[in-house]
C-alpha cells in the first residue's frame, strides 16, 4: 500500500453516517501515510445525494487520481464512468440498495453486493470501518508503523466512537456486527479522545466542565442528542462544520 503517491479525495455524505464514515477513512489513511488527501461532503441543496458530474469535473480539474466514496456511490454508474475515463480510480464503500447495473469502480465494498458477506445491515460508517480494518491488517503485515505512534489494534479501537455514531445515527438494526460495533463503540465514546466530540458533549450538557458525565452515554444519547446535532450542520448550512469538528486535533 503506497498512499503517498496518490492524490485522494474522500467523498462522503451530509448526514451523521456519512460524516462519521469520512472521519474514519481520512484519519486512518493519514496515519497510514496519505499526505495528499482531502474530503468532499456534498451540499444538501446544491449538490444533492451522492456523486454528480459537476463534482467529478472538479476532481478532474484538481488532478485527483483516487476517489473513495463512503455512504454513497453504488448507484452512480455515469459519474464513476466519467471518473474512470479520466484516469481516476474509484473505490466505492456503500450500504444502500444495489442497482441492477453496478458502476465500473476499481472496487465496490458493500455488504449487499457481496453474497458471501454475513452481515447485510451495516451502516456506511460500518462499511468504511471494515475497509480500514483490512487496510490496517495489510499495513501491519508489511511491517509499517502508524504516524501517530499508536499500535494498529489501539488505533482501530479508538475509531469505534465514530462507528457507533454512524450506526445508531443511521438507524440500522442493532443486530449482528452492527450491535458489536455499537456495544464497543459506546465504551470508546464514553472516554473519547476527540476534542471536537468532547466539546459537543459539553455544549449539549452530556458532560460537565470537569469532564464528569451526568449519566452513561448510551445508544439513546447518540440517537437523540449527538447524531441530530451532526445532522443539523448539513441541514442548516454545510456538513463540513460537523466533519471539521470531529476531525480536528
Amino acid at each position: 500500500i503506497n498512499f503517498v503517491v496518490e492524490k485522494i479525495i474522500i467523498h462522503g455524505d451530509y448526514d451523521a453516517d456519512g460524516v462519521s464514515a469520512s472521519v474514519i477513512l481520512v484519519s486512518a489513511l493519514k496515519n497510514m501515510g496519505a499526505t495528499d488527501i482531502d474530503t468532499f461532503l456534498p451540499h444538501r441543496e446544491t449538490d444533492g445525494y451522492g456523486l454528480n458530474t459537476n463534482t467529478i469535473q472538479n476532481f478532474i480539474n484538481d488532478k485527483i487520481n483516487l476517489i473513495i466514496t463512503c455512504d454513497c456511490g453504488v448507484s452512480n454508474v455515469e459519474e464513476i464512468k466519467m471518473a474512470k475515463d479520466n484516469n481516476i480510480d474509484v473505490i466505492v464503500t456503500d450500504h444502500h440498495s444495489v442497482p441492477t447495473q453496478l458502476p465500473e469502480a476499481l472496487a465496490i465494498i458493500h455488504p449487499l453486493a457481496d453474497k458471501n458477506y454475513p452481515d447485510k445491515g451495516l451502516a456506511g460508517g460500518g462499511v468504511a470501518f471494515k475497509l480500514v480494518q483490512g487496510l490496517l491488517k495489510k499495513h501491519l503485515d508489511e511491517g509499517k508503523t502508524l504516524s501517530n505512534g499508536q499500535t494498529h489494534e489501539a488505533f482501530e479501537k479508538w475509531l469505534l466512537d465514530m462507528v457507533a455514531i454512524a450506526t445508531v445515527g443511521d438507524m440500522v438494526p442493532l443486530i449482528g456486527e452492527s450491535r458489536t460495533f455499537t456495544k464497543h463503540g459506546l465504551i470508546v465514546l464514553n472516554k473519547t479522545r476527540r476534542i471536537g466530540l468532547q466539546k459537543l458533549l459539553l455544549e449539549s450538557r452530556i458532560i460537565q466542565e470537569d469532564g464528569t458525565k451526568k449519566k452513561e452515554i448510551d445508544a439513546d444519547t447518540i440517537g437523540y442528542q449527538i447524531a441530530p446535532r451532526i445532522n443539523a450542520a448539513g441541514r442548516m448550512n454545510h456538513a463540513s462544520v460537523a466533519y471539521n469538528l470531529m476531525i480536528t486535533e
Side-chain angles (χ1 to χ4, degrees):
I1 306 172
N2 187 2
F3 297 116
V4 180
V5 299
E6 304 281 1
K7 186 169 186 181
I8 306 169
I9 196 89
I10 303 298
H11 188 303
D13 190 25
Y14 42 66
D15 65 0
D17 189 16
V19 168
S20 300
S22 301
V23 170
I24 290 163
L25 284 171
V26 171
S27 56
L29 292 175
K30 278 186 174 178
N31 274 290
M32 284 186 271
T35 53
D36 197 346
I37 183 168
D38 207 350
T39 313
F40 176 82
L41 299 176
H43 189 284
R44 184 183 287 268
E45 302 297 331
T46 56
D47 297 309
Y49 170 74
L51 289 77
N52 66 57
T53 51
N54 289 338
T55 304
I56 298 296
Q57 187 58 56
N58 289 335
F59 294 164
I60 295 164
N61 297 345
D62 290 342
K63 296 184 167 46
I64 300 296
N65 52 17
L66 175 62
I67 301 167
I68 305 177
T69 75
C70 45
D71 198 27
C72 65
V74 78
S75 298
N76 292 117
V77 174
E78 178 193 347
E79 294 82 1
I80 289 173
K81 183 181 187 305
M82 181 180 173
K84 185 182 177 185
D85 289 346
N86 286 276
N87 300 313
I88 302 176
D89 290 329
V90 183
I91 296 170
V92 172
T93 77
D94 200 355
H95 71 122
H96 292 97
S97 298
V98 177
T100 37
Q101 184 187 357
L102 287 171
E104 293 179 46
L106 181 69
I108 297 174
I109 298 156
H110 192 308
L112 296 173
D114 180 355
K115 66 179 187 298
N116 296 318
Y117 196 74
D119 200 314
K120 305 298 182 187
L122 294 178
V127 179
F129 181 69
K130 295 307 295 187
L131 172 58
V132 167
Q133 280 188 310
L135 291 173
L136 284 170
K137 184 178 185 304
K138 180 78 171 169
H139 194 260
L140 179 61
D141 288 347
E142 291 176 354
K144 296 176 180 175
T145 55
L146 298 175
S147 60
N148 69 357
Q150 279 183 308
T151 66
H152 290 73
E153 187 181 1
F155 179 79
E156 185 179 303
K157 180 189 78 174
W158 284 105
L159 289 174
L160 285 167
D161 52 358
M162 299 311 301
V163 182
I165 290 170
T167 303
V168 177
D170 217 50
M171 295 187 290
V172 299
L174 293 184
I175 55 175
E177 202 167 20
S178 295
R179 189 175 192 87
T180 305
F181 286 160
T182 304
K183 177 187 173 182
H184 293 282
L186 286 169
I187 295 168
V188 175
L189 182 56
N190 273 278
K191 49 186 175 183
T192 185
R193 293 175 174 177
R194 297 178 199 279
I195 58 171
L197 188 48
Q198 289 170 359
K199 187 66 175 172
L200 180 67
L201 296 174
L202 181 65
E203 288 293 325
S204 48
R205 308 291 187 269
I206 296 166
I207 62 172
Q208 301 178 76
E209 290 286 352
D210 61 0
T212 58
K213 297 187 292 286
K214 294 175 181 176
K215 70 178 186 70
E216 195 79 356
I217 297 169
D218 58 16
D220 281 347
T221 319
I222 297 175
Y224 293 104
Q225 292 182 272
I226 298 172
R229 285 177 163 88
I230 297 173
N231 285 329
R235 292 199 173 107
M236 294 172 70
N237 184 15
H238 201 285
S240 59
V241 175
Y243 169 80
N244 289 332
L245 184 71
M246 296 299 156
I247 201 82
T248 187
E249 292 176 5

